[in-house]
Amino acid sequence: MTREEFKELVKNGPVILDGATGSNLQNAGMPVGVCPEQWILEHPQIMIDLQRAYVEAGTQILLAPTFTANRIKLEEYGLADKLVEMNQQLVAISKEAAGGKALVAGDITMTGQQLYPMGELQFEELVDIYKEQVKVVADAGVDLFIIETMMSLQETRAAVLAIRETCDLPIMASMTYNEDGRSLYGTDPVTAVVTLQSLGADAVGMNCSTGPEEMLEPIRQTVEYAYVPVLAKPNAGLPELEDGVTVYKTTPEEFAEVGAKLIEEGVSIIGGCCGTTPAHIKALADKVKPMGIHHVEAPRRRVLTSERKTVEIDLDGPFMVIGERINPTGKKKLQAELREGSLNMVRDMARAQEENGAAILDVNMGMNGIDEKQMMLNTIHEVTYTVDCPLCIDSSHVDIIEAALRIYPGRALINSISLEKEKFEKLLPIAKKYGAMFILLPLSDEGLPKDAEEKRQIVRTILDAALKIGLHKEDIIVDGLVATVGANPLAALECFDTIQYCKDELKLATACGLSNISFGLPERIYVNSAFLTMAIAKGLTMAIANPSQDLLMNAAVASDMLLHKEGSDIRYINRMNQRAQKEAPATDNAASAGTLEPANPVFDCVLKGNKGNILKEVDKALAAGEEPGAIINGQLIPAINEVGVLFDKQIYFLPQLISSAQTMQHAIEYLEPMLSKDKDAEPKATIIIATVEGDIHDIGKNLVALMLRNYGYRVLDLGKDVAADIIVDTALKENAQIIGLSALMTTTMMRMKDVVELAKERGCNSKIIVGGAAITQSFADEIGADGYSPDAADCVKLVERLLEEM
């Protein structure tokens, strides 16, 4: 199937997908703990019968059961060497079931491993792992691909790139979101759809985690930004425990009723996830097929994203600053740090610029004495886990820009593409491939344009070439090319002319390197500020500047207010209030209740995830006479508590939580050998933690273990896919006060009840706590667990509370 054929299929939709596989196979006898793909191959008729039932119910696209048949997952069952034949046979089963009456999609999902820098798996290695499976599945004859149940935007990007670099089949990409409307890694639906459709996904949406009713609001958000079809594959409600069995109580009729609402909101491709059956799909198809398509392609927007934030650029909206500080040019101290391989200053600069109001951060590593490409990649990793701002990739080398765009977990801005042959011919296709926006720099191989007309001609030439390869004017920001007024008295006027021409005639956004205007003049800030206010009045969209310059930033927000831009009065008042708070005397409680002000350097390192500096600050505290136990209890633990507060408030997300936890762990491991001589150190409780039998997901469980160790608990991590008797026997042997159980899949949730019952049977008095994506407080109550926590930060509080009650 071609991508154009896929578009035509959707135009005649809505397109009906199939329903659940795992829950139906378990009902058909698939035991917990086996490799699902292997079991299917051993019982092919069960799968064929299920999928034929879906086709008869109205399914137009069957998902081949290749879901976890990638190398990493198969290795966990000792089946990695069977990858080729297993994927081939699994596709063949679905093609037989389809019988020419439905299309077959190759199904790709997450590996369960964390990408660097949170984990060890490198991005390019992950792309290769996906490519290995994609090639086999494509060669086996699937019609298209679906990437589904993804929690990480970056992992989804890797899968999209793997497919795009292997074949040209259509791609549907679907992420799964928690109740707070964000993925495990903090991505919201708008950020996901902007990033993935820009990268080349042919449809974007969501599946699993929630029932259809709970999907309505995130679907509304997605549709507002989607210029590709939107898909939805909800569960049949949330799982409940009934007579010791996990059930989904949403009836086919109820499922279809809300499915119709999803179509009305703009969903074009719809099916079912956990708990849905052929009966659910039949009711859905009967209900929604007569409705036709309601999705209206959203207008193209100027939007950049990080993994956790979307920044929209509006021609008539608020003026924005691209923070210029992460650039070693003229910064000797930063150059020295970079030569030593340190990124401490880079992290500080990133955080300070975001706090001072930068909407986007420019990243440039151009200097002598370093491997610029590797340093750029290292910086991308560090900055994206330090701040939420989208990034502007700034380099004079094409290969460095491409390498940075490849690993950047969002939609970036390229700085810049000119009419210089090397950049023009190579960077435009790169921008298209990675879905990036770019700054159009009106220079050619002849250098600066000789007059305004030549500048306009260069802009039009690059614009036309960009449109020809499938980019859009909303992907382009024109650099006004600010000259120095000291050398050219008309510099400001010429720049204003370019700004007005681009905004009024070409409808293009504009930017400029602000400080160029005042080069060589005294008291440059006044020239810069005056120029900025005039440029904003002429229509300037953004500028590359230093956001720590209050006069500049305040002049910008005041200019927006005087131009009566929407919401500008509130932005001005808020900025002035923040300025007043900054100038207020510091208090002893500066680092409490979810603020970001440091109490001391050790505290600050944990709060900001500054692993590179933590030991240096700990040594300073020790040299000042502080005891190791006092550092842990008085600085490290309060800091991680503050991180928990920020996490609860959704100021921090999983990447920052992990970074802070790892920083704290680094300090604790350093201090632990000193604790035997420390009278302040106290023994802590023993906690057994495991992912239950049949479940091979452990990202959440690993973070819980890390957090609990940081609080001084003795944590014995038994790993994943652990049988109930091993968990209970270990708890009895180690005299554990707490047993922590994790499960991601609805099909393995009931193994938690097995542990609870076995513990009672064997007289194990350990308190049992549970957590995981599908787990709820009501489920914990029903199986008799002693507690439930939705995340690692909350788990620490739960353990402390239970221990106090014992």
Side-chain angles (χ1 to χ4, degrees), residues 82-274:
K82 306 291 186 184
L83 183 148
V84 173
E85 61 188 82
M86 288 181 71
N87 278 281
Q88 288 174 338
Q89 292 168 16
L90 291 165
V91 172
I93 285 173
S94 291
K95 291 183 75 173
E96 181 179 345
K101 298 177 181 178
L103 300 170
V104 174
D107 197 358
I108 305 290
T109 194
M110 57 188 178
T111 63
Q113 291 196 11
Q114 289 177 309
L115 278 165
Y116 181 85
M118 286 196 292
E120 299 299 320
L121 184 63
Q122 294 291 330
F123 183 79
E124 209 57 47
E125 182 183 356
L126 178 60
V127 173
D128 288 342
I129 286 167
Y130 280 133
K131 279 184 177 179
E132 182 179 34
Q133 184 185 13
V134 166
K135 185 178 188 310
V136 176
V137 172
D139 289 346
V142 297
D143 301 289
L144 69 164
F145 279 91
I146 184 167
I147 305 160
E148 65 165 346
T149 325
M150 303 299 283
M151 298 183 182
S152 162
L153 180 61
Q154 183 70 321
E155 195 164 0
T156 313
R157 289 185 69 256
V160 171
L161 284 171
I163 297 169
R164 277 284 159 266
E165 293 176 354
T166 304
C167 64
D168 198 35
L169 293 176
I171 299 171
M172 300 185 289
S174 176
M175 293 190 65
T176 184
Y177 300 95
N178 301 325
E179 289 183 2
D180 62 4
R182 289 183 178 267
S183 75
L184 181 65
Y185 291 83
T187 302
D188 63 89
V190 170
T191 297
V193 70
V194 168
T195 303
L196 296 173
Q197 68 185 5
S198 300
L199 193 63
D202 299 284
V204 179
M206 58 198 69
N207 74 292
C208 206
S209 289
T210 70
E213 194 76 44
E214 292 80 10
M215 263 191 195
L216 289 170
E217 180 53 35
I219 283 293
R220 288 186 195 106
Q221 297 170 23
T222 301
V223 168
E224 188 177 348
Y225 285 78
Y227 54 77
V228 297
V230 174
L231 72 92
K233 241 188 139 205
N235 293 341
L238 293 175
E240 298 179 35
L241 193 62
E242 193 172 84
D243 298 326
V245 178
T246 303
V247 296
Y248 294 83
K249 292 190 174 180
T250 302
T251 67
E253 293 72 27
E254 291 168 341
F255 188 79
E257 284 295 326
V258 187
K261 294 180 183 178
L262 287 167
I263 297 298
E264 289 171 351
E265 291 295 342
V267 166
S268 304
I269 305 167
I270 191 165
C273 208
C274 301

Side-chain angles (χ1 to χ4, degrees), residues 11-38:
K11 283 181 184 178
N12 296 316
V15 174
I16 308 299
L17 302 176
D18 57 16
T21 297
S23 55
N24 286 303
L25 292 182
Q26 283 206 327
N27 292 337
M30 185 176 74
V32 172
V34 301
C35 173
E37 290 79 14
Q38 184 180 36

Side-chain angles (χ1 to χ4, degrees), residues 160-458:
V160 171
L161 284 171
I163 297 169
R164 277 284 159 266
E165 293 176 354
T166 304
C167 64
D168 198 35
L169 293 176
I171 299 171
M172 300 185 289
S174 176
M175 293 190 65
T176 184
Y177 300 95
N178 301 325
E179 289 183 2
D180 62 4
R182 289 183 178 267
S183 75
L184 181 65
Y185 291 83
T187 302
D188 63 89
V190 170
T191 297
V193 70
V194 168
T195 303
L196 296 173
Q197 68 185 5
S198 300
L199 193 63
D202 299 284
V204 179
M206 58 198 69
N207 74 292
C208 206
S209 289
T210 70
E213 194 76 44
E214 292 80 10
M215 263 191 195
L216 289 170
E217 180 53 35
I219 283 293
R220 288 186 195 106
Q221 297 170 23
T222 301
V223 168
E224 188 177 348
Y225 285 78
Y227 54 77
V228 297
V230 174
L231 72 92
K233 241 188 139 205
N235 293 341
L238 293 175
E240 298 179 35
L241 193 62
E242 193 172 84
D243 298 326
V245 178
T246 303
V247 296
Y248 294 83
K249 292 190 174 180
T250 302
T251 67
E253 293 72 27
E254 291 168 341
F255 188 79
E257 284 295 326
V258 187
K261 294 180 183 178
L262 287 167
I263 297 298
E264 289 171 351
E265 291 295 342
V267 166
S268 304
I269 305 167
I270 191 165
C273 208
C274 301
T276 55
T277 66
H280 288 83
I281 299 305
K282 184 177 189 323
L284 179 68
D286 290 346
K287 183 75 176 179
V288 305
K289 282 302 286 184
M291 295 177 64
I293 291 296
H294 287 236
H295 178 244
V296 177
E297 185 175 309
R300 297 274 173 168
R301 297 172 183 253
R302 299 169 183 84
V303 185
L304 297 172
T305 68
S306 65
E307 190 170 23
R308 301 178 297 277
K309 185 177 182 179
T310 294
V311 170
E312 186 159 1
I313 302 161
D314 187 341
L315 284 183
D316 297 308
F319 173 80
M320 293 179 174
V321 167
I322 302 174
E324 68 180 6
R325 297 290 294 153
I326 305 176
N327 186 330
T329 304
K331 301 182 183 76
K332 292 184 178 180
K333 188 175 180 181
L334 177 58
Q335 291 175 9
E337 280 212 0
L338 294 177
R339 288 192 180 100
E340 293 172 1
S342 171
L343 291 172
N344 291 333
M345 280 188 70
V346 167
R347 281 192 296 269
D348 290 343
M349 286 174 170
R351 188 174 288 106
Q353 289 183 104
E354 183 177 57
E355 291 171 358
N356 286 324
I360 304 156
L361 300 185
D362 188 82
V363 177
N364 184 314
M365 290 289 114
M367 60 172 279
N368 295 323
I370 63 171
D371 180 339
E372 184 181 341
K373 181 186 288 186
Q374 189 58 53
M375 190 60 72
M376 173 66 84
L377 299 182
N378 294 345
T379 300
I380 296 292
H381 287 311
E382 289 292 336
V383 174
T384 54
Y385 285 100
T386 299
V387 297
D388 293 335
C389 286
L391 300 188
C392 176
I393 310 301
D394 187 355
S395 176
S396 57
H397 301 287
V398 170
D399 63 319
I400 292 176
I401 290 175
E402 179 169 20
L405 290 174
R406 191 168 180 84
I407 68 160
Y408 178 67
R411 188 184 193 214
L413 177 64
I414 297 172
N415 188 8
S416 54
I417 301 179
S418 65
L419 199 53
E420 296 162 293
K421 183 179 176 62
E422 172 75 5
K423 287 194 170 185
F424 177 67
E425 293 183 353
K426 293 182 178 179
L427 277 178
L428 280 177
I430 287 171
K432 171 66 175 171
K433 175 178 179 178
Y434 293 101
M437 293 180 65
F438 70 91
I439 293 176
L440 187 162
L441 186 65
L443 293 176
S444 67
D445 287 318
E446 282 69 44
L448 291 168
K450 60 180 180 295
D451 54 31
E453 180 49 42
E454 184 180 351
K455 187 192 287 189
R456 291 183 178 192
Q457 183 58 51
I458 292 173

